[in-house]
Amino acid sequence: MAFVNVKKKEVQAKIVYYGPGRGGKTTNLEYIHAKFSSRIKTEMVAIKTHGDRTLFFDFLPFDLGKIRGYDVKIQLYTVPGQIKYNATRRLVLRGVDGVVFVADSMKVRREKNILSLRNLQENLATYKKNIFNIPLVLQYNKMDLSEQGIPILPVATLEKQLNSKLKAPSFEASALIGTNVAKTMKKIISMTIASLQKDLK
Amino acid sequence: MEYTLSEEHLDNIERILQKDFMELGVHCVVLIDMAGNIISSLDNGEMAQDIYSLAALAAGNFGAVSAMAKIVGEEEFSLLFHKGEKENIHFSKIMDDFLLISIFGRETSLGFLRLKVAEANEKIKKIFKS
Ligand SMILES: Nc1nc2c(ncn2[C@@H]2O[C@H](COP(=O)(O)OP(=O)(O)OP(=O)(O)O)[C@@H](O)[C@H]2O)c(=O)[nH]1
Ligand SMILES: [Mg+2]
């Protein structure tokens, strides 16, 4: 839940990157950190294992600048995607304002995407949030792998499996190269701000 | 969805943090919510910390400790305190949704700080309920 500080004229909103383990959530934030270094003055916080898997979360504060006189600060988080970390994953979702679901386009990860999306729905429900109402963007990541001959799910299939009911905006992306990473972020930020702005005067 | 506090409430909270903590010699005091948002923060000007990251980590840390408490059958662990060489951190839950973080040095006693935290807790509760 975003906090509006009327005194400092500041809004803080929380956007969480969700999705199956090794899907590329952390890579999204790393790319954003490198690309928008002028708006991000701090180091990225990463609580991870020795093997570079997210253990708790990654955190990146992003200064959006002023909207209607308010300084908007977006807090970007990732969750740990591994199934066993559900307790910490749920903690990161607390107070979430917008979600990017990073799906892994590799054919072998088909099932993992579906399970993770269902898990997102369940975890949101524990905070009385509905996946159909919350600002949500889908990202079909690792599209670059098709050039290396690795079997990738066609976008139509991904849409059908993950987005047929949600009908959320979706992007094909490569977090590693950076394709559509900024686009994904801009979309979720604008949706999140729009949902907040209804009440922001 | 979002929430806000009136300027008057924020002023009152800041006054409490100033009087009960900063004037006591605490280096930095921050009131956050459990999502990791900063409600109010004060420091002595000598701290160069990244307060937004601190808030995110504190909220996560507190959430993790609360979840552990439930697993071992405790409602919650009342004292959350990390001791360092020069700086110490004390966390205290304010009602269900907020967390007060104090960073202090050797010159401040933990006992006295806890007393102040308990007092501030009551005062802030009153503000939120008014
Ligand atoms: N080829 C390719 N590899 C990618 C892409 N995105 C991420 N990777 C790789 O996939 C692996 C996992 O990426 P992470 O960003 O750590 O995945 P994660 O979703 O944060 O994983 P967890 O922290 O375990 O949930 C890393 O080796 C990345 O380099 C991509 O778009 N293309
Ligand atoms: Mg990760």
Side-chain angles (χ1 to χ4, degrees), chain A residues 1-2 4 7 10 12 73, chain B residues 3-5 11 37-38 52:
Chain A
M1 197 162 50
V4 180
K7 197 174 160 198
E10 182 189 271
Q12 299 168 58
K73 293 194 184 301
Chain B
Y3 72 103
T4 185
L5 292 168
D11 280 338
N37 296 313
I38 296 171
Y52 286 91

Side-chain angles (χ1 to χ4, degrees), chain B residues 10-26 28-32 38-43 94 99-102 116 120-121 123-124 127:
Chain B
L10 288 168
D11 280 338
N12 287 336
I13 289 170
E14 203 163 289
R15 207 166 300 133
I16 293 166
L17 299 187
Q18 177 66 36
K19 260 192 119 59
D20 286 356
F21 295 91
M22 297 315 292
E23 286 174 18
L24 191 75
V26 166
C28 172
V29 59
V30 192
L31 182 71
I32 68 171
I38 296 171
I39 311 293
S40 185
S41 73
L42 289 174
D43 67 73
I94 309 272
L99 194 61
L100 190 67
I101 311 163
S102 337
K116 285 291 170 191
N121 188 350
K123 291 182 200 164
I124 294 173
I127 292 178

